[in-house]
Amino acid sequence: MLNWNNLHDAILSGDIASTPKLVEEAISEGASPEDVLEKGLIAGMADVGAKFKANDIFVPEVLIAAKAMHAALDILEPLLIASGVKPKATVAVGTVKGDLHDIGKNLVAMMLKGAGFHVVDLGIDIAPDAFITRAEEANASLIAMSSLLTTSMPSMKATIKILKERGLSSKIKTIIGGAPVTQEYADDIGADGYAQDASSAVDKAKQLLGA
Ligand code: B1M
């Protein structure tokens, strides 16, 4: 049985040199990419968040931990995608205006790709108008918005409002997620769906698009 502590601790200490190697080791020892993600990387990042909240660590340490997470995800991404199937609909994924957090958004994009969706990653800090224009340009059937800050959540509401005003809400569905986001908030702002984590985002996308 694999010991996940090494990977967890490498994320926590922001050990950029070790994390990709530990991911490779875990895979070569037979771990599934999903377990490496959940039991190693996400578990480590959850502790980073807890320590950050308790003022045990500060923004520079969090940033270094996030870089270690990105380095690990670079190794994991093709493996997660390879477990997917045939192409489905196009999804425009992004982090909303005012918000620079991209790890959860990247996971959502990765899992959607893994499930066979064509994903257009718009990046971070995406204003409502740009979200819609770029989704339309990409012929997306779904907009997937991520927010990690309570202060950036209203940008989701604004995006959905504009989508409705332009008469696009039957053509382009919306799902929202991110740590402070809830089903109640999704209902409140008229999002078509809410997902708590990246794999639930895939289930919700499939449900909404009948894919
Ligand atoms: Co920031 N940060 N951060 N941060 N940061 C949080 C979010 C915070 C909760 C920390 C805390 O106080 N405990 C807090 C927000 C408080 C709030 O608003 N309620 C916070 C703050 C305050 C800030 C700054 C304001 C700090 C400052 O400057 N004083 C600042 C804001 C910058 C900005 O965006 N404008 C800031 C900056 C940063 C860093 C740059 C240092 C770094 C981001 C690096 C990066 O993303 N490239 C960072 C980090 C890393 C965090 C924590 C520690 C970890 C976030 C993370 O990546 N988690 C975070 C604390 C925490 O969340 N515990 C925190 C791992 C990731 C896998 O989880 O993104 O939640 P998450 O994604 C999950 C689900 O939420 C879901 O799926 C994923 C799992 O499968 N999900 C979706 C996400 N998007 C989804 C979309 C969906 C569906 C599901 O559908 C579309």
Side-chain angles (χ1 to χ4, degrees):
M1 178 125 111
L2 269 158
N3 175 2
W4 296 107
N5 288 343
N6 292 343
L7 194 48
H8 169 282
D9 293 352
I11 292 289
L12 193 55
S13 61
D15 189 342
I16 295 164
S18 296
T19 39
K21 286 183 203 151
L22 289 167
V23 168
E24 278 165 352
E25 271 172 36
I27 295 289
S28 69
E29 284 171 34
S32 71
E34 290 80 5
D35 273 355
V36 172
L37 180 63
E38 296 289 338
K39 296 179 181 171
L41 305 182
I42 290 183
M45 211 52 180
D47 273 0
V48 171
K51 285 182 184 293
F52 187 41
K53 196 170 185 179
N55 286 328
D56 287 340
I57 60 170
F58 300 96
V59 171
E61 287 103 317
V62 176
L63 210 45
I64 294 168
K67 281 191 178 157
M69 179 95 173
H70 278 299
L73 290 176
D74 283 346
I75 306 289
L76 212 53
E77 180 170 16
L79 302 172
L80 285 166
I81 292 170
S83 60
V85 275
K86 51 190 176 308
K88 297 192 177 89
T90 297
V91 185
V93 179
T95 303
V96 297
K97 180 76 187 160
D99 202 323
L100 309 177
H101 295 87
D102 68 354
I103 296 174
K105 180 268 294 173
N106 291 345
L107 284 174
V108 171
M110 214 182 276
M111 299 289 276
L112 285 166
K113 282 185 204 170
F117 287 92
H118 174 233
V119 174
V120 179
D121 188 343
L122 304 181
I124 54 173
D125 197 19
I126 307 300
D129 203 59
F131 229 124
I132 295 167
T133 307
R134 291 173 66 188
E136 266 198 294
E137 281 167 7
N139 203 20
S141 320
L142 180 69
I143 282 177
M145 290 180 273
S146 177
S147 160
L148 266 284
L149 298 172
T150 45
T151 49
S152 69
M153 285 167 64
S155 185
M156 295 173 154
K157 184 177 180 176
T159 308
I160 291 169
K161 185 167 176 275
I162 297 173
L163 200 67
K164 287 186 176 159
E165 283 168 1
R166 292 194 192 158
L168 291 169
S169 54
S170 57
K171 191 177 160 214
I172 306 177
K173 302 285 176 199
T174 50
I175 57 171
I176 63 171
V181 181
T182 59
Q183 179 66 60
E184 195 186 2
Y185 186 70
D187 294 342
D188 195 39
I189 66 172
D192 295 301
Y194 158 75
Q196 189 177 359
D197 53 43
S199 32
S200 313
V202 170
D203 294 340
K204 191 54 78 177
K206 285 182 182 168
Q207 183 197 321
L208 285 172
L209 301 177

